[in-house]
Amino acid sequence: MSRPRILVIGTGDTKAEELRFIADCIKEAGGEPIAMDVSILGDPPYRPDFDKHAVLAAADTSIAAATAGGDELSAMTLMAEGAAKLTKNLHAEGRIDGFIALGGTMGTDLALDVALALPLGVPKFVVSTIAYSHLLPPDRIATDLMMILWAGGLYGLNSVCKAVLSQAAGAVVGAARAVVAPVRTRPVIGMSSLGKACLNYMVDLKPALEKRGYELVVFHTTGMGGRALEAIAAQNGFAAVMDFSLQELANFHNGSVVNSGPDRLENAGLAGIPQIVAPGAIDMIDMPAWQPPPAHLRDRTYYAHNRLIGMVTADAEVRRAVARKIGAKLSMAKAPVAVILPSAGIEQWDQEGEPFHDPEALAAFVDEMKASIVGPASLHVIDAHINSPLFVEKALEILDRWIAEGIVPAGQPNEVAA
């Protein structure tokens, strides 16, 4: 791509100098800037390629209607809707190759909606005063979003913020040139897991699925991994989902920031994607290692994995509550769901002799799961551990049956994919 076309989004009435600097940096890096103005109160001192009237028209409203109530929040929410729709259309029409947005909390709020409107592989860069902040909930963060802190950018250009803005401009141009966008030559199966020391079924499932003509994409369930799985599922990006590590769901419902948002385990079902589900690692509640555990978990076994993340074991009642959540979420599915319940254990360290061994709590969870899996979901209890060959065999047995019944599209042989 000789000159990537980069959409530059910001409030030109208050940040014209910074936005112009970004545009100049994009040009110097070999890109072509395209300006979108999302100002509410005023107008920029330049003519944008897409002004606020064009943005709000995409949301079927106008600046007069958006500002009639005198509420900046509602007006910017409408502006965000228009910006997301317009950007999505521009990309679908082949008119942009990526975007960069600049903003404080208000501009970041809008930029996150724009990023979510674009598919994986389209470069998305946000320069924000709250980059990497806990103010950003996981469900608002696009799968391949890039961010940088807008340091020193509260009022006007200076040497510090120029360093940040120039890096951002170069990064988005470089990403647009270098990106290898996903190409679907084979049906894709999405799978959740943790590291091989905890859950290792993917080691055997990957070659078995590839032999059947599928591409396997495994997501690491430490918060944003599950968010990526959910986002791609919501865009109907999988032929089937093998959601075998639900730790993020347990984290969310126990107040941990190591989560994927409130809709974990919902999007595949709502999109009509067949799911094979297992409750891998729900007995471990992750949390930042630099914070104390929640009060209701402080008497449980704690393990610090590294200086960033640690975990405690969930007791019987916490596990029962998680089982009910799993059942409720799967009951909403609009496609077949099969739940594999390994009654002998759900992660490597819950076995006899390991630090998280708690047979009474595991038995309580298994009992609650048997009562909670209803509706469209079928329950398959196996007297085995989740890391055993029997678990892999059961998963493939269900998948093969669904392929034969036409529930999951048949895979493409390797020679066709090549």
Side-chain angles (χ1 to χ4, degrees), residues 50-134:
F50 299 96
D51 62 17
K52 62 186 177 184
H53 305 290
V55 174
L56 286 169
D60 297 320
T61 188
S62 66
I63 190 66
T67 58
D71 179 3
E72 187 179 16
L73 170 59
S74 61
M76 279 301 288
T77 301
L78 286 171
M79 189 69 79
E81 178 185 347
K85 288 181 177 178
L86 182 54
T87 302
K88 182 177 181 179
N89 291 338
L90 290 171
H91 176 258
E93 294 166 3
R95 298 167 65 183
I96 61 170
D97 303 302
F99 92 91
I100 184 170
L102 172 73
T105 55
M106 195 74 78
T108 302
D109 188 20
L110 179 146
L112 295 177
D113 281 358
V114 173
L116 285 171
L118 294 172
L120 177 72
V122 181
K124 312 162 182 69
F125 210 109
V126 176
V127 184
S128 170
T129 58
I130 53 170
Y132 308 112
S133 163
H134 285 316

Side-chain angles (χ1 to χ4, degrees), residues 102-401:
L102 172 73
T105 55
M106 195 74 78
T108 302
D109 188 20
L110 179 146
L112 295 177
D113 281 358
V114 173
L116 285 171
L118 294 172
L120 177 72
V122 181
K124 312 162 182 69
F125 210 109
V126 176
V127 184
S128 170
T129 58
I130 53 170
Y132 308 112
S133 163
H134 285 316
L135 287 173
L136 308 179
D139 51 302
R140 297 291 309 283
I141 300 177
T143 305
D144 53 350
L145 180 68
M146 298 177 283
M147 300 190 80
I148 191 169
L149 181 67
W150 186 14
L154 179 60
Y155 190 73
L157 282 176
N158 54 67
S159 61
V160 171
C161 75
K162 280 183 177 180
V164 170
L165 300 182
S166 58
Q167 286 184 69
V172 72
V173 172
R177 280 197 174 127
V179 64
V180 180
V183 177
R184 302 290 166 79
T185 57
R186 293 175 289 169
V188 177
I189 292 179
M191 179 182 292
S192 60
S193 190
L194 285 169
K196 288 191 294 183
C198 181
L199 297 171
N200 57 37
Y201 41 75
M202 66 279 195
V203 174
D204 293 321
L205 281 169
K206 187 176 191 293
L209 293 171
E210 290 176 345
K211 183 178 179 181
R212 287 163 170 78
Y214 296 94
E215 180 182 8
L216 176 64
V217 180
V218 184
F219 298 85
H220 194 195
T221 54
T222 51
M224 296 315 300
R227 183 70 250 149
L229 186 151
E230 294 294 330
I232 296 173
Q235 296 177 348
N236 210 21
F238 301 118
V241 167
M242 291 181 163
D243 209 345
F244 295 156
S245 178
L246 303 183
Q247 186 185 32
E248 294 154 323
L249 186 154
N251 291 347
F252 179 84
H253 291 287
N254 283 278
S256 171
V257 298
V258 189
N259 69 74
S260 300
D263 60 345
R264 184 70 177 90
L265 195 60
E266 295 180 9
N267 289 285
L270 293 175
I273 299 172
Q275 300 172 85
I276 306 174
V277 176
I282 64 87
D283 60 322
M284 302 189 305
I285 310 301
D286 280 341
M287 61 198 64
W290 37 271
Q291 286 183 343
H296 72 291
L297 296 172
R298 286 180 188 169
D299 62 341
R300 302 294 296 172
T301 301
Y302 175 81
Y303 171 75
H305 184 54
N306 51 47
R307 287 178 293 173
L308 297 177
I309 193 168
M311 63 274 296
V312 297
T313 56
D315 63 22
E317 287 310 306
V318 168
R319 297 190 201 192
R320 285 186 181 274
V322 171
R324 292 191 291 271
K325 290 290 184 182
I326 293 171
K329 287 173 177 286
L330 294 180
S331 70
M332 301 185 295
K334 298 178 181 178
V337 178
V339 179
I340 305 174
L341 180 56
S343 61
I346 53 177
E347 46 89 5
Q348 185 64 27
W349 303 307
D350 73 349
Q351 299 178 85
E352 187 172 359
E354 297 288 350
F356 292 165
H357 184 57
D358 190 338
E360 291 79 14
L362 175 61
F365 174 74
V366 170
D367 178 66
E368 197 68 40
M369 282 287 286
K370 291 177 179 178
S372 299
I373 302 303
V374 295
S378 61
L379 182 63
H380 304 261
V381 182
I382 60 171
D383 184 19
H385 193 271
I386 196 169
N387 284 337
S388 73
L390 287 175
F391 177 82
V392 171
E393 291 172 13
K394 176 57 71 172
L396 292 173
E397 173 194 313
I398 295 168
L399 179 67
D400 287 340
R401 185 173 71 250

